[in-house]
Amino acid sequence: MKVTFSIIKADVGGWPGHANVHPALMEIAKNKLQEAKEGGLLIDFHVTHCGDDLELIMTHTKGVDNEEIHSLAWETFKEATEKAKELKLYGAGQDLLSDAFSGNIKGMGPGVAEMEFTERKAEPVIAFMMDKTEPGAFNMPIFKTFADPFNTAGLVIDPSMHNGFVFEIWDIQEHKIVKMSTPEEMYDILALIGAKSRFVIKRVYPKEGGKLPADEPVAVVSTEKLYQIAGKYIGKDDPVAAVRCQSGLPALGEVLNPYAFPHLVSGWMRGSHNGPIMPVGVKNAICTRFDGPPRVVALGFQLSEGKLVGPVDLFDDPGFDRARQIALEVADYMRAHGPFEPHRLPMEDMEYTTLPGVLEKLKGRFVDAKEKENVIAHF
Ligand code: F6R
Ligand code: MG
Ligand code: MG
């Protein structure tokens, strides 16, 4: 059977500040999705949070970009927003950028990662959710998972993975898409996705002639850019991703292993700082210190005719203790830079915040350097 795995998320109010999601909002979402399950729209669902983001994990047979599914998510976020307003939660409704739903939730604020595929005899899927960072934060771990033989032993050992994968990469500034293959184009891919604020991995596909259909994705990442939608900074685009595992795909452990290295991502405090991403269990997905450090949560499921058998809270595991320790050390080191780059983001990424205002204020006080030098030379 073909099943669609959808993760749709939004920050519709933080508790307190931008730290966490209030249980009342999760309750509303659970009730709403339960109704949809009873009505037959959803096969199954799981509601959770990462930091201040309310996360809806849903399975159904409607395919991606389905109006009914997107409208269900939209209505759920609207209802949760009402509650957030009543409780005066922080930034109530902040990710809902429009009042009118027009058939597709994409471009309206919430983040979306969906894929439709033929459910295999055994189908392990991991839902990844990040807070206080941007979609490009997935570039390094997804690349390592599907293309780095030092991470994924299966690329070398498993004949069905030996041919590599196809990466669909989006230029989220120029709004262009390119498909590229590993291992052949590995260096070109890295040239792009190393610039993670611009080029993001959107999907990964198996190659033709392999064990899995080449037209069904095996990984998908949300790529919404809130500031591009809203035209000004209104919060980060805290991304989500879904990754299928095993039997011709990277094993569960090969998908998780990249997060043992807490790489630097952008988005910490005011969406304006680089910091390490810390893998945590859901109970620790609360962004406290300097509104962070950025977090990533991984929930594992087996699918059974679309039913979500799980979740298993995969980073709630001593196997990631050292990653957390390193993340905290790196957090101290980065924090010690205060307002200086590279803790603070480079100017290009700051232009959506204060810097243009500061420059505008000082406009009249800047003098032409050449003129000034001539004056000095004259004396
Ligand atoms: C980062 C984030 C927070 C806020 C910060 C300031 O993505 O959400 O770090 O940017 O708490 O928030 P405001 O300006 O709402 O007081
Ligand atoms: Mg928030
Ligand atoms: Mg958030």
PDB file of all heavy atoms in Angstrom, residues 32 36 54 68 90 99 118 123 175 236 332 344 352 355 357 363:
ATOM      1  N   LYS A  32      -8.066  17.105  18.049  1.00  0.00           N
ATOM      2  CA  LYS A  32      -8.405  17.447  16.663  1.00  0.00           C
ATOM      3  C   LYS A  32      -7.980  16.309  15.712  1.00  0.00           C
ATOM      4  O   LYS A  32      -8.734  15.912  14.826  1.00  0.00           O
ATOM      5  CB  LYS A  32      -7.672  18.743  16.321  1.00  0.00           C
ATOM      6  CG  LYS A  32      -8.133  19.398  15.091  1.00  0.00           C
ATOM      7  CD  LYS A  32      -9.215  20.403  15.341  1.00  0.00           C
ATOM      8  CE  LYS A  32      -9.669  20.971  14.012  1.00  0.00           C
ATOM      9  NZ  LYS A  32     -10.999  21.491  14.036  1.00  0.00           N
ATOM     10  N   ALA A  36     -10.083  13.460  13.354  1.00  0.00           N
ATOM     11  CA  ALA A  36      -9.797  13.207  11.935  1.00  0.00           C
ATOM     12  C   ALA A  36      -9.493  11.733  11.701  1.00  0.00           C
ATOM     13  O   ALA A  36      -9.818  11.180  10.638  1.00  0.00           O
ATOM     14  CB  ALA A  36      -8.622  14.062  11.486  1.00  0.00           C
ATOM     15  N   LEU A  54       4.973  23.123  17.976  1.00  0.00           N
ATOM     16  CA  LEU A  54       3.949  22.075  18.069  1.00  0.00           C
ATOM     17  C   LEU A  54       4.066  21.220  16.805  1.00  0.00           C
ATOM     18  O   LEU A  54       3.986  21.735  15.684  1.00  0.00           O
ATOM     19  CB  LEU A  54       2.571  22.746  18.159  1.00  0.00           C
ATOM     20  CG  LEU A  54       1.332  21.871  18.241  1.00  0.00           C
ATOM     21  CD1 LEU A  54       1.390  20.907  19.416  1.00  0.00           C
ATOM     22  CD2 LEU A  54       0.084  22.747  18.345  1.00  0.00           C
ATOM     23  N   GLU A  68      -7.077  18.563   2.191  1.00  0.00           N
ATOM     24  CA  GLU A  68      -7.766  18.167   3.436  1.00  0.00           C
ATOM     25  C   GLU A  68      -6.778  18.042   4.612  1.00  0.00           C
ATOM     26  O   GLU A  68      -7.075  18.445   5.730  1.00  0.00           O
ATOM     27  CB  GLU A  68      -8.449  16.806   3.247  1.00  0.00           C
ATOM     28  CG  GLU A  68      -9.745  16.843   2.469  1.00  0.00           C
ATOM     29  CD  GLU A  68     -10.275  15.419   2.308  1.00  0.00           C
ATOM     30  OE1 GLU A  68      -9.861  14.751   1.341  1.00  0.00           O
ATOM     31  OE2 GLU A  68     -11.069  14.978   3.160  1.00  0.00           O
ATOM     32  N   TYR A  90       3.427  33.113  24.845  1.00  0.00           N
ATOM     33  CA  TYR A  90       4.280  34.072  24.166  1.00  0.00           C
ATOM     34  C   TYR A  90       4.226  33.903  22.641  1.00  0.00           C
ATOM     35  O   TYR A  90       4.417  32.825  22.116  1.00  0.00           O
ATOM     36  CB  TYR A  90       5.723  33.980  24.673  1.00  0.00           C
ATOM     37  CG  TYR A  90       6.458  35.212  24.270  1.00  0.00           C
ATOM     38  CD1 TYR A  90       6.181  36.412  24.897  1.00  0.00           C
ATOM     39  CD2 TYR A  90       7.331  35.202  23.203  1.00  0.00           C
ATOM     40  CE1 TYR A  90       6.779  37.586  24.484  1.00  0.00           C
ATOM     41  CE2 TYR A  90       7.947  36.362  22.788  1.00  0.00           C
ATOM     42  CZ  TYR A  90       7.663  37.554  23.434  1.00  0.00           C
ATOM     43  OH  TYR A  90       8.249  38.707  23.007  1.00  0.00           O
ATOM     44  N   ASP A  99      -4.588  34.947   7.449  1.00  0.00           N
ATOM     45  CA  ASP A  99      -5.857  34.619   8.098  1.00  0.00           C
ATOM     46  C   ASP A  99      -6.641  33.611   7.274  1.00  0.00           C
ATOM     47  O   ASP A  99      -7.416  32.827   7.786  1.00  0.00           O
ATOM     48  CB  ASP A  99      -6.708  35.877   8.308  1.00  0.00           C
ATOM     49  CG  ASP A  99      -6.162  36.682   9.471  1.00  0.00           C
ATOM     50  OD1 ASP A  99      -5.517  36.069  10.344  1.00  0.00           O
ATOM     51  OD2 ASP A  99      -6.349  37.907   9.484  1.00  0.00           O
ATOM     52  N   THR A 118       5.598   3.431  -1.036  1.00  0.00           N
ATOM     53  CA  THR A 118       5.013   2.105  -0.861  1.00  0.00           C
ATOM     54  C   THR A 118       5.565   1.502   0.424  1.00  0.00           C
ATOM     55  O   THR A 118       6.783   1.342   0.545  1.00  0.00           O
ATOM     56  CB  THR A 118       5.391   1.206  -2.064  1.00  0.00           C
ATOM     57  OG1 THR A 118       5.092   1.938  -3.264  1.00  0.00           O
ATOM     58  CG2 THR A 118       4.639  -0.107  -2.043  1.00  0.00           C
ATOM     59  N   GLU A 123       8.805  -1.235   7.780  1.00  0.00           N
ATOM     60  CA  GLU A 123       9.091   0.136   7.349  1.00  0.00           C
ATOM     61  C   GLU A 123       9.441   1.034   8.543  1.00  0.00           C
ATOM     62  O   GLU A 123       8.581   1.667   9.150  1.00  0.00           O
ATOM     63  CB  GLU A 123       7.863   0.696   6.616  1.00  0.00           C
ATOM     64  CG  GLU A 123       8.046   2.061   5.979  1.00  0.00           C
ATOM     65  CD  GLU A 123       9.023   2.066   4.819  1.00  0.00           C
ATOM     66  OE1 GLU A 123       8.762   1.410   3.806  1.00  0.00           O
ATOM     67  OE2 GLU A 123      10.062   2.748   4.940  1.00  0.00           O
ATOM     68  N   HIS A 175      15.155  30.189  -5.573  1.00  0.00           N
ATOM     69  CA  HIS A 175      14.010  29.319  -5.826  1.00  0.00           C
ATOM     70  C   HIS A 175      14.235  28.417  -7.038  1.00  0.00           C
ATOM     71  O   HIS A 175      13.456  28.398  -7.990  1.00  0.00           O
ATOM     72  CB  HIS A 175      12.719  30.146  -5.975  1.00  0.00           C
ATOM     73  CG  HIS A 175      12.477  31.021  -4.782  1.00  0.00           C
ATOM     74  ND1 HIS A 175      12.059  30.530  -3.575  1.00  0.00           N
ATOM     75  CD2 HIS A 175      12.659  32.344  -4.601  1.00  0.00           C
ATOM     76  CE1 HIS A 175      11.982  31.517  -2.704  1.00  0.00           C
ATOM     77  NE2 HIS A 175      12.339  32.633  -3.290  1.00  0.00           N
ATOM     78  N   LYS A 236      12.524  31.824  13.686  1.00  0.00           N
ATOM     79  CA  LYS A 236      13.270  30.921  12.812  1.00  0.00           C
ATOM     80  C   LYS A 236      12.365  29.865  12.216  1.00  0.00           C
ATOM     81  O   LYS A 236      11.241  29.674  12.627  1.00  0.00           O
ATOM     82  CB  LYS A 236      14.403  30.273  13.596  1.00  0.00           C
ATOM     83  CG  LYS A 236      15.689  31.051  13.483  1.00  0.00           C
ATOM     84  CD  LYS A 236      16.303  30.939  12.086  1.00  0.00           C
ATOM     85  CE  LYS A 236      17.345  32.044  11.911  1.00  0.00           C
ATOM     86  NZ  LYS A 236      17.841  32.183  10.565  1.00  0.00           N
ATOM     87  N   ASP A 332      29.500  26.885  25.654  1.00  0.00           N
ATOM     88  CA  ASP A 332      30.277  27.814  26.482  1.00  0.00           C
ATOM     89  C   ASP A 332      31.266  28.603  25.631  1.00  0.00           C
ATOM     90  O   ASP A 332      31.389  29.819  25.760  1.00  0.00           O
ATOM     91  CB  ASP A 332      31.087  27.048  27.548  1.00  0.00           C
ATOM     92  CG  ASP A 332      30.210  26.567  28.697  1.00  0.00           C
ATOM     93  OD1 ASP A 332      29.083  27.073  28.850  1.00  0.00           O
ATOM     94  OD2 ASP A 332      30.664  25.667  29.438  1.00  0.00           O
ATOM     95  N   ARG A 344      27.743  35.440  16.682  1.00  0.00           N
ATOM     96  CA  ARG A 344      26.680  36.170  15.994  1.00  0.00           C
ATOM     97  C   ARG A 344      26.787  35.875  14.502  1.00  0.00           C
ATOM     98  O   ARG A 344      27.898  35.710  13.981  1.00  0.00           O
ATOM     99  CB  ARG A 344      26.834  37.676  16.232  1.00  0.00           C
ATOM    100  CG  ARG A 344      25.556  38.429  15.916  1.00  0.00           C
ATOM    101  CD  ARG A 344      25.725  39.908  16.156  1.00  0.00           C
ATOM    102  NE  ARG A 344      26.468  40.529  15.068  1.00  0.00           N
ATOM    103  CZ  ARG A 344      26.764  41.832  15.031  1.00  0.00           C
ATOM    104  NH1 ARG A 344      26.409  42.619  16.012  1.00  0.00           N
ATOM    105  NH2 ARG A 344      27.436  42.332  14.016  1.00  0.00           N
ATOM    106  N   TYR A 352      18.091  41.060   8.290  1.00  0.00           N
ATOM    107  CA  TYR A 352      16.660  41.001   8.569  1.00  0.00           C
ATOM    108  C   TYR A 352      16.361  41.457   9.989  1.00  0.00           C
ATOM    109  O   TYR A 352      15.252  41.414  10.431  1.00  0.00           O
ATOM    110  CB  TYR A 352      16.140  39.589   8.342  1.00  0.00           C
ATOM    111  CG  TYR A 352      16.388  39.170   6.924  1.00  0.00           C
ATOM    112  CD1 TYR A 352      17.516  38.443   6.580  1.00  0.00           C
ATOM    113  CD2 TYR A 352      15.525  39.593   5.911  1.00  0.00           C
ATOM    114  CE1 TYR A 352      17.767  38.127   5.263  1.00  0.00           C
ATOM    115  CE2 TYR A 352      15.775  39.279   4.599  1.00  0.00           C
ATOM    116  CZ  TYR A 352      16.904  38.544   4.278  1.00  0.00           C
ATOM    117  OH  TYR A 352      17.153  38.237   2.981  1.00  0.00           O
ATOM    118  N   LEU A 355      20.614  45.446  12.047  1.00  0.00           N
ATOM    119  CA  LEU A 355      21.720  46.148  11.409  1.00  0.00           C
ATOM    120  C   LEU A 355      21.311  47.258  10.439  1.00  0.00           C
ATOM    121  O   LEU A 355      21.861  48.363  10.508  1.00  0.00           O
ATOM    122  CB  LEU A 355      22.639  45.148  10.719  1.00  0.00           C
ATOM    123  CG  LEU A 355      24.099  45.534  10.893  1.00  0.00           C
ATOM    124  CD1 LEU A 355      24.565  45.276  12.305  1.00  0.00           C
ATOM    125  CD2 LEU A 355      24.954  44.801   9.907  1.00  0.00           C
ATOM    126  N   GLY A 357      18.837  49.143  10.558  1.00  0.00           N
ATOM    127  CA  GLY A 357      18.382  50.260  11.399  1.00  0.00           C
ATOM    128  C   GLY A 357      19.563  51.039  11.971  1.00  0.00           C
ATOM    129  O   GLY A 357      19.569  52.270  11.969  1.00  0.00           O
ATOM    130  N   LYS A 363      23.747  57.075   9.300  1.00  0.00           N
ATOM    131  CA  LYS A 363      23.995  57.491   7.909  1.00  0.00           C
ATOM    132  C   LYS A 363      24.699  58.838   7.824  1.00  0.00           C
ATOM    133  O   LYS A 363      25.731  58.987   7.181  1.00  0.00           O
ATOM    134  CB  LYS A 363      22.662  57.520   7.150  1.00  0.00           C
ATOM    135  CG  LYS A 363      22.806  57.192   5.697  1.00  0.00           C
ATOM    136  CD  LYS A 363      21.485  56.880   5.040  1.00  0.00           C
ATOM    137  CE  LYS A 363      20.589  58.107   5.010  1.00  0.00           C
ATOM    138  NZ  LYS A 363      19.244  57.781   4.491  1.00  0.00           N
TER     139      LYS A 363
END
